[in-house]
Amino acid sequence: MATVIKIRKGLDINLKGKAPEVLTEAVESDSYAIVPDHYTGITPKVAVRQGDRVKAGSVLMTDKRFPEIRFVSPVSGEVAAVRRGEKRKVLSIEVKPDGEAEYESFPVKALSSMSGAEIRELLLQAGMWPYIKQRPYDRVAAPDATPRDIFVSAFNSAPLAPDFDFIARDETDAFQAGLDALAALTPGKVYAGIKKGAAIRPQHVEVVELDGPHPAGNVGVMINHIRPVNRGEVVWTLNAADVLFIGRLMRKGVVDFSRLTALTGSEMTVRGYAKVISGCTVQSLTKGKIMPGDRHVRLISGNVLTGTKVEPSDWLGAYDNQITAIPEGDEADEFLGWGMPGFGKYSVSRTYPAWLTGRGKEYVIDARIRGGRRAMIMSNEYDRVFPMDILPEYLLRAIIAFDIEKMENLGIYEVAPEDFALCEFVDTSKIELQRIVRHGLDLLYREMN
């Protein structure tokens, strides 16, 4: 019998541009890249030079603090560039594919005959470790730690999010193999969160049915409702789509970073799911698929709440399986602005009458802030969309003041920036709450370590 978590607080933003469950034409990229900034908490050390030949699974860089954490090439080919910025910061390591699809092989045995130490070493050697995050601090997991529990969410409730049932419809065995491998890494439990009524129901783990508006699918909601994180405890978290990478490794002995990526958004003319390899260029996904015309378009790697603004020359985020295209809004010129009736405009507070048309209405929302920034936090505004047993307003104030004792008492150890994305969306004061939480977690990590 599955555990059921039903939340009422939250908000579903019904945007135009959801991806239908169809596969688009195959996507090939002229280059692939590892971008250190995609991985929180990593200090990169480059292991290759320009011109080196690599296979899929060959090491491109490691972490300076934990050299056993490897970042591997997603394809076989030639190292085209190691790009650096100010103070020689590593910006990206680019690989030009050769089309040969050569793989590094890794020794695998039947899962039942492998110990937890052997599985841990295999994941480190094959470059799977960066996909495992830890809480507290929401960063790449420390390989020398043992997690109390592991939480996996197979329900993405964010706006226009891809459907994991469709993504993994032909790979249920790989998903199960990945979960079985993770179960060997913890003395506790592996919790797999699924959408209520989901077709894919994993075995040998604690299944949690998630129901309600966004952020029902956030792994933070699972942690908070099942077993919160206290000081001194560590839990690991993963996206279900990344568990497929681990499952393929356990079954085939090679790294396969292919993923189905949803093409979404009102400005996307061709919507659906494209099969790509992680690290591909944004241009390879969006070329010829953006709404023609003079209107400026914002491309987002991920969803509109937590994703990253990208250019066509950038690369798909390491953890992302969604590209979103929405209007930028910088050329909009509205007569009287908010003073007009606003028919067809979206409003959380029902300022505009569009909500009378019903819940099924789809909205086109651009990237404008729509209001001036104010140096204040509005009382009780976040509580309406924050379903965790945490006081978000007081926690944010404690983070800003960097009051460690209050931060601990208010639940800093179990949250991540994504848990505050909706609060940021509804915030009248336009405060960058996710950035505040990220900064607070980084400072706390340095203080505690």
Side-chain angles (χ1 to χ4, degrees):
M1 189 69 178
T3 302
V4 178
I5 297 177
K6 181 176 177 60
I7 67 170
R8 300 188 183 279
K9 290 184 177 181
L11 179 67
D12 283 330
I13 307 171
N14 195 21
L15 298 182
K16 181 180 179 181
K18 187 173 179 61
E21 295 184 354
V22 295
L23 288 176
T24 64
E25 61 184 19
V27 171
E28 294 184 1
S29 178
D30 57 2
S31 69
Y32 295 83
I34 296 290
V35 180
D37 281 351
H38 290 171
Y39 306 94
T40 303
I42 290 297
T43 303
K45 181 178 180 181
V46 179
V48 292
R49 295 180 179 180
Q50 184 175 349
D52 286 355
R53 294 281 305 168
V54 295
K55 298 179 182 179
S58 297
V59 180
L60 297 182
M61 72 178 189
T62 59
D63 179 35
K64 285 186 178 180
R65 182 175 182 188
F66 295 107
E68 59 269 39
I69 299 180
R70 298 181 171 190
F71 299 80
V72 302
S73 175
V75 295
S76 61
E78 179 181 311
V79 177
V82 178
R83 301 196 185 277
R84 296 180 181 269
E86 295 182 1
K87 299 182 180 180
R88 293 187 57 77
K89 175 184 176 180
V90 181
L91 302 179
S92 64
I93 304 175
E94 302 170 26
V95 177
K96 185 176 181 179
D98 57 11
E100 299 297 327
E102 293 184 86
Y103 296 89
E104 297 280 3
S105 60
F106 300 92
V108 294
K109 301 181 291 186
L111 263 172
S112 57
S113 64
M114 295 182 70
S115 67
E118 289 176 319
I119 293 175
R120 183 186 295 251
E121 182 61 24
L122 175 62
L123 297 184
L124 287 166
Q125 291 289 329
M128 296 295 160
W129 201 265
Y131 294 99
I132 303 175
K133 292 185 177 182
Q134 72 170 50
R135 297 198 188 185
Y137 313 122
D138 186 46
R139 58 199 291 127
V140 174
D144 58 355
T146 300
R148 185 201 69 195
D149 300 296
I150 299 176
F151 293 84
V152 176
S153 179
F155 174 30
N156 193 339
S157 56
L160 305 178
D163 185 356
F164 184 72
D165 275 358
F166 182 76
I167 289 174
R169 70 196 189 288
D170 297 326
E171 293 194 279
T172 54
D173 291 342
F175 184 51
Q176 186 63 59
L179 292 175
D180 291 341
L182 292 172
L185 302 179
T186 174
K189 296 181 179 180
V190 173
Y191 295 93
I194 62 172
K195 180 174 61 177
K196 183 180 180 181
I200 296 178
R201 302 184 71 86
Q203 306 295 317
H204 315 136
V205 295
E206 293 289 321
V207 177
V208 182
E209 284 193 356
L210 304 170
D211 187 21
H214 184 63
N218 279 14
V219 71
V221 173
M222 290 174 58
I223 295 172
N224 182 259
H225 283 73
I226 295 173
R227 196 177 172 191
V229 181
N230 299 311
R231 183 175 184 176
E233 295 179 333
V234 174
V235 300
W236 289 352
T237 67
L238 294 93
N239 295 324
D242 299 335
V243 175
L244 293 176
F245 296 161
I246 297 175
R248 294 170 192 160
L249 172 67
M250 303 309 300
R251 298 181 69 214
K252 303 175 184 177
V254 297
V255 297
D256 181 355
F257 290 114
S258 60
R259 62 163 83 232
L260 288 185
T261 300
L263 308 177
T264 65
S266 60
E267 304 306 290
M268 197 77 73
T269 57
V270 178
R271 305 184 190 115
Y273 290 79
K275 188 172 184 179
V276 302
I277 296 176
S278 185
C280 67
T281 62
V282 173
Q283 185 175 14
S284 66
L285 278 164
T286 60
K287 186 176 181 180
K289 299 171 185 170
I290 302 299
M291 194 79 71
D294 297 330
R295 185 158 63 174
H296 299 168
V297 174
R298 173 171 293 195
L299 296 175
I300 302 169
S301 181
N303 65 70
V304 294
L305 294 177
T306 63
T308 303
K309 179 183 177 181
V310 292
E311 300 296 334
S313 57
D314 292 328
W315 291 274
L316 179 69
Y319 302 101
D320 297 332
N321 58 346
Q322 177 183 1
I323 285 286
T324 309
I326 63 174
E328 185 67 54
D330 56 350
E331 77 280 15
D333 187 13
E334 297 182 2
F335 179 68
L336 293 181
W338 58 267
M340 296 297 286
F343 295 107
K345 289 184 178 180
Y346 181 82
S347 173
V348 176
S349 60
R350 296 184 175 181
T351 301
Y352 301 123
W355 63 273
L356 294 171
T357 59
R359 293 185 177 182
K361 179 177 175 58
E362 294 182 335
Y363 294 89
V364 176
I365 303 179
D366 59 40
R368 285 177 291 168
I369 294 177
R370 293 181 179 271
R373 292 182 174 88
R374 305 170 181 86
M376 64 182 73
I377 295 177
M378 304 298 289
S379 297
N380 300 321
E381 195 167 43
Y382 309 149
D383 294 325
R384 294 196 297 268
V385 296
F386 194 82
M388 299 165 68
D389 188 20
I390 289 174
L391 300 173
E393 179 183 330
Y394 291 96
L395 176 55
L396 286 163
R397 289 177 176 178
I399 292 173
I400 293 170
F402 198 59
D403 187 327
I404 294 178
E405 184 177 354
K406 282 188 177 180
M407 290 162 64
E408 291 179 335
N409 293 336
L410 291 167
I412 186 66
Y413 290 126
E414 62 190 81
V415 300
E418 66 176 12
D419 297 319
F420 291 82
L422 268 181
C423 297
E424 184 172 291
F425 178 75
V426 304
D427 183 20
T428 305
S429 299
K430 315 302 179 186
I431 300 173
E432 295 182 333
L433 304 182
Q434 294 183 80
R435 182 171 295 182
I436 290 173
V437 175
R438 179 73 270 160
H439 183 62
L441 290 172
D442 292 343
L443 286 178
L444 187 62
Y445 177 81
R446 288 197 288 270
E447 186 74 20
M448 296 300 187
N449 294 272

